[in-house]
């Protein structure tokens, strides 16, 4: 798909109900045109992961997601051999009277016994969008390994040889900044920090994503979310939580945000008992 400008990308994202501002659209446009990974950093729930999903939809490419976590290693991100199937193949060969060791070794390390994990899938799939989600949760060692893969999109499999991407995937790397990511990885990418949306943009997002939402309800929820983000909370609500909160209110038939229903549905927006206690104790839901 030929995307000729950031403005065109904004338009295409909007068709998929993702409202991007000029800064984000420009960063994403440059990443697409320059073939560079896009590193998105910001609070949880501001739309980092959703952007990767939307890019995959508008590019009509599969989204391949690598969810990072502590202890993630190269093997879990690259590939595994299907030992159970390999063993069954050896037993079948034994039953058939095949005793040629060299032949058997060649057969059990055939591509059909290889389980492709996200990074190998992304290299083998053209086109594709690779989402490396929450890289800040992975260890330093994995971060260094990922940098190597993103440099040339080449994966070496000793038993089979080298797999190289004919067309590199579109790569989106996200971080919630639970720790600092090393400069070496950031330098490989184009960087963009995602803020919480402005009040006006959040109202527009609610109306765009939730067709049953009234402008009154969207305005009141966005205003309440704005207050909660200014409060001293463990985890302020992101756009994802604001959408969940509004959907919960709509499910109850609400047309506007009254304090009773706001308190009853607060678990859709806040995920820590301390935050709920702070909000209710300070009457943050009763202000206009």
């Amino acid at each position: 798909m030929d995307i000729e400008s950031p403005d065109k990308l904004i338009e295409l994202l909007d068709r998929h109900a993702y409202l991007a501002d000029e800064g984000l659209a420009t960063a994403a446009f440059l990443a697409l045109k320059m073939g560079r990974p896009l590193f998105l950093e910001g609070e949880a729930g501001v739309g980092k992961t959703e952007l990767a999903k939307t890019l995959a939809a508008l590019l009509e490419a599969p989204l391949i997601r690598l969810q990072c976590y502590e202890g993630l290693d190269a093997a879990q991100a690259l590939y595994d051999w299907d030992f159970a199937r390999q063993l069954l193949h050896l037993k079948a060969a034994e039953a058939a009277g095949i005793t040629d060791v060299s032949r058997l070794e060649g057969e059990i390390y055939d591509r059909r016994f290889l389980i492709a994990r996200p990074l190998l899938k992304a290299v083998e799939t053209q086109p594709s969008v690779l989402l490396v989600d929450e890289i800040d949760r992975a260890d330093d060692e994995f971060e260094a390994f990922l940098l190597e893969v993103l440099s040339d999109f080449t994966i070496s499999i000793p038993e089979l040889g080298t797999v190289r991407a004919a067309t590199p995937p579109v790569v989106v790397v996200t971080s919630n900044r639970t720790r600092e990511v090393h400069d070496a990885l950031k330098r490989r990418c184009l960087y963009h920090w995602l803020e919480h949306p402005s009040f006006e943009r959040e109202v527009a997002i609610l109306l765009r994503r939730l067709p049953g939402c009234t402008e009154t309800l969207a305005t009141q929820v966005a205003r309440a979310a704005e207050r909660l983000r200014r409060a001293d909370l463990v985890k302020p609500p992101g756009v994802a939580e604001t959408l969940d909160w509004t959907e919960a209110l709509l499910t109850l038939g609400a047309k506007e945000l009254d304090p009773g229903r706001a308190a009853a549905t607060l678990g859709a927006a806040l995920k820590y008992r301390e935050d709920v206690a702070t909000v209710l104790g300070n009457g943050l839901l009763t202000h206009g």
Side-chain angles (χ1 to χ4, degrees), residues 65 77 79 81 87 113 118 132 141 152 183 192-193 198 202-205 229 240 245 254 263 287:
R65 182 173 183 167
Y79 64 86
W81 287 103
L87 182 58
F113 295 119
V132 182
E141 294 78 7
D152 55 12
D183 288 343
H192 187 77
W193 173 269
S198 66
E202 190 151 27
V203 170
I205 290 170
R229 289 171 193 146
W245 195 13
H287 301 300

Side-chain angles (χ1 to χ4, degrees), residues 202-263:
E202 190 151 27
V203 170
I205 290 170
L206 293 174
L207 293 173
R208 185 75 172 81
R209 297 294 295 271
L210 299 170
C213 183
T214 64
E215 189 163 353
T216 298
L217 181 60
T219 299
Q220 291 174 338
V221 171
R223 190 70 72 195
E226 202 174 49
R227 288 198 303 274
L228 297 184
R229 289 171 193 146
R230 290 196 300 264
D232 185 21
L233 302 181
V234 176
K235 171 60 179 71
V239 180
E241 286 75 30
T242 308
L243 283 163
D244 286 345
W245 195 13
T246 308
E247 187 175 3
L249 290 162
L250 289 171
T251 301
L252 294 176
K255 299 297 182 185
E256 58 183 34
L257 186 68
D258 64 82
R261 275 184 172 158

Side-chain angles (χ1 to χ4, degrees), residues 18-279:
Y18 189 99
L19 304 184
D21 61 23
E22 185 179 359
L24 176 58
T26 300
F29 171 77
L30 292 173
L32 292 172
K33 287 298 183 182
M34 298 168 64
R36 298 279 294 278
L38 177 61
F39 191 103
L40 298 177
E41 201 165 41
E43 299 290 337
V46 294
K48 304 183 297 294
T49 299
E50 194 63 30
L51 176 66
K53 294 178 180 178
T54 308
L55 285 174
L58 71 87
L59 294 172
E60 297 182 344
L63 176 73
I64 300 171
R65 182 173 183 167
L66 173 60
Q67 180 63 53
C68 298
Y69 53 87
E70 186 177 352
L72 176 66
D73 61 27
Q76 293 163 317
L78 283 173
Y79 64 86
D80 279 325
W81 287 103
D82 192 336
F83 297 117
R85 289 189 64 206
Q86 286 174 319
L87 182 58
L88 286 172
H89 181 76
L90 288 175
K91 288 183 177 180
E94 181 183 7
I98 300 172
T99 58
D100 185 336
V101 175
S102 297
R103 174 184 167 183
L104 290 173
E105 284 184 352
E107 288 179 350
I108 64 171
Y109 288 110
D110 186 80
R111 179 63 181 83
R112 61 193 163 129
F113 295 119
L114 192 71
I115 302 172
R117 300 303 184 194
L119 291 181
L120 179 57
K121 281 184 183 177
V123 167
E124 290 186 319
T125 306
Q126 282 94 40
S128 66
V129 175
L130 172 63
L131 168 61
V132 182
D133 217 6
E134 300 182 326
I135 184 62
D136 52 317
R137 296 186 181 276
D139 302 324
D140 290 351
E141 294 78 7
F142 181 79
E143 193 179 313
F145 158 75
L146 180 65
L147 177 62
E148 181 181 346
V149 173
L150 295 183
S151 296
D152 55 12
F153 296 101
T154 299
I155 294 172
S156 177
I157 303 173
E159 300 86 352
L160 294 177
T162 300
V163 180
R164 183 173 286 103
T167 302
V170 174
V171 180
V172 178
V173 183
T174 75
S175 168
N176 294 335
R177 211 171 186 179
T178 59
R179 70 168 176 85
E180 286 295 334
V181 175
H182 290 279
D183 288 343
L185 181 59
K186 285 186 176 181
R187 285 198 303 270
R188 179 69 185 82
C189 308
L190 296 179
Y191 177 86
H192 187 77
W193 173 269
L194 261 73
E195 299 280 0
H196 289 291
S198 66
F199 168 73
E200 293 78 10
R201 184 169 295 275
E202 190 151 27
V203 170
I205 290 170
L206 293 174
L207 293 173
R208 185 75 172 81
R209 297 294 295 271
L210 299 170
C213 183
T214 64
E215 189 163 353
T216 298
L217 181 60
T219 299
Q220 291 174 338
V221 171
R223 190 70 72 195
E226 202 174 49
R227 288 198 303 274
L228 297 184
R229 289 171 193 146
R230 290 196 300 264
D232 185 21
L233 302 181
V234 176
K235 171 60 179 71
V239 180
E241 286 75 30
T242 308
L243 283 163
D244 286 345
W245 195 13
T246 308
E247 187 175 3
L249 290 162
L250 289 171
T251 301
L252 294 176
K255 299 297 182 185
E256 58 183 34
L257 186 68
D258 64 82
R261 275 184 172 158
T265 55
L266 196 54
L270 303 178
K271 309 301 177 181
Y272 287 87
R273 179 181 61 83
E274 298 90 338
D275 287 348
V276 174
T278 297
V279 169

